[in-house]
Amino acid sequence: REIEGDPIALMSLAELRARDPSASTLEEVLRRFGSQVGFCLEIKPQQFLDKLSIVQGVIRLLPLAKRGAIVDSFSRAAVEAMRRHSDAETAFDLPHRTPRDEWLVYASERGFDWVYVRHDFISPAFTDRAHELGLKVMAYTINDGTKPPNVDGIITDVARP
């Protein structure tokens, strides 16, 4: 994300808040809402960031998520580190293309709890196979209220009561 053409990843918190006073840290959000809702926390490591330090920072904050948290990433290394160093539920974001069985096997063999899949790539056979391997399926991004059959959760940009 950018503000006025400047990547926020390169800004200090003070610089970010000077431009967007409503910006919150993960810790602030978890302290405010951690007892009210569960969280899906996506780790998005950049090339210039140390994946392990991000994982360690998230692990330190997980106790604030009183209603639970699922930690996910497209980065296999980040998800594997989270699985090794915490008891949090973990999810592997499958690439934005038709899912393959080998990805499900990979996630299952490493003890991940969830796979996240773009909703239009989910089929009953895919969901059945994931469940056979002990994985839950999260469909993203669904903003019209529909839920593919047999998925265990959805990700949406639309808040609903």
Side-chain angles (χ1 to χ4, degrees):
R1 180 171 164 222
E2 296 180 349
I3 296 178
E4 299 171 6
D6 297 324
I8 62 170
L10 300 178
M11 294 180 196
S12 69
L13 183 57
E15 292 169 328
L16 175 60
R17 284 190 169 153
R19 294 172 131 184
D20 182 357
S22 67
S24 298
T25 66
L26 177 58
E27 182 172 3
E28 291 166 343
V29 170
L30 290 174
R31 285 189 186 285
R32 182 167 179 196
F33 300 106
S35 63
Q36 298 173 36
V37 296
F39 286 84
C40 293
L41 305 174
E42 184 175 1
I43 297 175
K44 293 187 173 186
Q46 303 293 321
Q47 289 181 343
F48 56 89
L49 294 175
D50 175 15
K51 289 180 180 120
L52 188 56
S53 68
I54 293 172
V55 168
Q56 289 170 335
V58 170
I59 289 171
R60 181 181 61 79
L61 297 174
L62 282 176
L64 298 174
K66 307 279 188 223
R67 301 274 311 264
I70 302 167
V71 182
D72 74 281
S73 184
F74 284 103
S75 165
R76 292 179 184 190
V79 179
E80 287 180 12
M82 183 60 67
R83 170 50 80 206
R84 278 193 308 275
H85 299 290
S86 86
D87 293 332
E89 287 194 61
T90 52
F92 179 48
D93 281 333
L94 299 180
H96 296 290
R97 51 186 180 271
T98 304
R100 299 191 313 232
D101 189 69
E102 64 203 57
W103 297 335
L104 293 176
V105 171
Y106 170 87
S108 176
E109 286 176 349
R110 279 152 183 81
F112 301 161
D113 303 288
W114 294 80
V115 289
Y116 287 15
V117 185
R118 218 173 81 181
H119 71 93
D120 53 338
F121 289 151
I122 295 175
S123 69
F126 172 83
T127 306
D128 289 346
R129 177 67 172 140
H131 289 156
E132 281 175 26
L133 293 169
L135 297 165
K136 294 178 254 184
V137 178
M138 182 81 71
Y140 67 86
T141 301
I142 298 174
N143 292 328
D144 64 4
T146 61
K147 180 180 172 187
N150 299 325
V151 300
D152 303 289
I154 66 167
I155 294 174
T156 183
D157 295 325
V158 180
R160 289 188 175 79

